[in-house]
């Protein structure tokens, strides 16, 4: 760590990433010339209720073997969002407990970034979700946002299985045909 600053609301750290053991990602050669220094400011998880900013200094190298240049990799960074992976995971946990605006203020990133992290997280959860047929299947409808939706529930387990965009016969039939273990259903 090169420098640390603190005020009543924030911590700020300047760090330089260790370049020992760095090799060319193109040819795996360890013979490198230092080719400049790049700085990137990112946010990290709060400490003691304060926002944390980190200025990473990382090296740019030129490979003596293949002649290509590259920037030192920092696996802890989410390059897409200018924050640490640890902060992304923190936001994914906290986004269900706080509003986007409150969480944005707590961690020091824009509320649109919080919203995008939330959307990516929900999409990942949806992609990995497996809906299994219950023993007792409930089928109903619900008028929501000006349209009727198909609702499927596990009556015995008292939980919602799926909320469809509409209640059309083709949509309902497609959901039922794709329901894993549908032979398990005893009662509808």
């Amino acid at each position: 760590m090169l420098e640390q600053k603190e005020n009543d609301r924030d911590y700020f750290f300047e760090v330089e990433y260790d370049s020992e053991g760095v090799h060319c990602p193109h040819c795996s050669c360890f013979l490198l010339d230092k080719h400049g220094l790049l700085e990137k400011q990112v946010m990290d998880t709060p400490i003691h209720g304060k926002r944390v900013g980190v200025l990473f200094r990382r090296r740019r190298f030129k490979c003596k073997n293949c002649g290509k240049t590259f920037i030192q990799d920092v696996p802890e960074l989410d390059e897409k969002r200018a924050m640490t992976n640890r902060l992304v995971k923190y936001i994914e946990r906290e986004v269900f407990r706080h509003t986007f605006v409150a969480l944005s203020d707590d961690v020091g990133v824009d509320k649109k970034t919080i919203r995008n992290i939330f959307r990516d997280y929900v999409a990942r959860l949806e992609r990995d979700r497996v809906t299994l047929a219950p023993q007792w299947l409930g089928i109903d409808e619900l008028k929501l946002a000006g349209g009727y939706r198909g609702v499927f529930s596990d009556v015995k387990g008292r939980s919602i299985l799926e909320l469809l965009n509409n209640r059309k016969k083709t949509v309902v039939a497609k959901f039922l045909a794709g329901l894993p273990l549908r032979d398990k259903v005893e009662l509808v």
Side-chain angles (χ1 to χ4, degrees):
M1 182 171 17
L2 302 174
E3 187 177 347
Q4 176 185 341
K5 296 177 187 174
E6 177 183 354
N7 62 33
D8 60 333
R9 183 119 196 240
D10 303 296
Y11 287 113
F12 180 75
F13 301 96
E14 285 186 38
V15 296
E16 189 168 323
Y17 210 76
D18 186 13
S19 60
E20 189 175 315
V22 175
H23 63 278
C24 178
H26 307 288
C27 69
S28 298
C29 180
F30 285 92
L31 300 171
L32 308 171
D33 282 330
K34 292 180 180 175
H35 199 64
L37 191 66
L38 297 172
E39 295 181 343
K40 180 165 187 148
Q41 185 166 339
V42 300
M43 296 306 289
D44 198 2
T45 54
I47 300 174
H48 306 138
K50 294 183 180 186
R51 301 179 300 196
V52 176
V54 181
L55 179 68
F56 274 100
R57 290 194 175 134
R58 46 190 189 161
R59 294 262 171 221
R60 188 168 174 232
F61 295 98
K62 184 171 184 176
C63 179
K64 290 182 179 181
N65 185 42
C66 68
K68 294 184 179 178
T69 59
F70 64 95
I71 300 169
Q72 183 178 16
D73 184 41
V74 180
E76 294 87 11
L77 292 184
D78 182 330
E79 297 285 346
K80 178 179 171 186
R81 297 189 176 99
M83 64 180 62
T84 62
N85 292 324
R86 181 174 45 215
L87 181 56
V88 172
K89 296 293 181 203
Y90 176 84
I91 292 169
E92 289 173 351
R93 279 191 319 269
E94 295 298 316
V95 75
F96 292 105
R97 297 181 205 165
H98 306 284
T99 65
F100 293 165
V101 173
L103 193 53
S104 168
D105 189 48
D106 288 346
V107 299
V109 299
D110 191 81
K111 66 183 178 197
K112 292 176 188 173
T113 303
I114 303 288
R115 185 181 310 117
N116 290 336
I117 290 171
F118 173 74
R119 285 182 184 155
D120 290 350
Y121 182 56
V122 169
R124 195 170 66 244
L125 290 175
E126 281 290 320
R127 186 184 66 238
D128 298 341
R129 182 174 68 112
V130 177
T131 303
L132 300 176
Q135 193 174 4
W136 297 355
L137 176 65
I139 302 175
D140 205 346
E141 65 185 11
L142 170 71
K143 188 170 185 178
L144 183 67
Y148 283 95
R149 316 293 175 142
V151 179
F152 294 88
S153 60
D154 176 354
V155 176
K156 196 172 184 180
R158 296 181 179 190
S159 63
I160 300 283
L161 293 178
E162 188 67 66
L163 178 65
L164 302 178
N165 287 337
N166 62 56
R167 63 178 180 173
K168 292 181 182 176
K169 184 178 180 179
T170 55
V171 174
V172 170
K174 182 179 177 183
F175 171 76
L176 290 172
L179 191 62
L181 303 174
R182 63 180 184 266
D183 296 344
K184 178 182 166 187
V185 177
E186 294 176 2
L187 183 66
V188 177

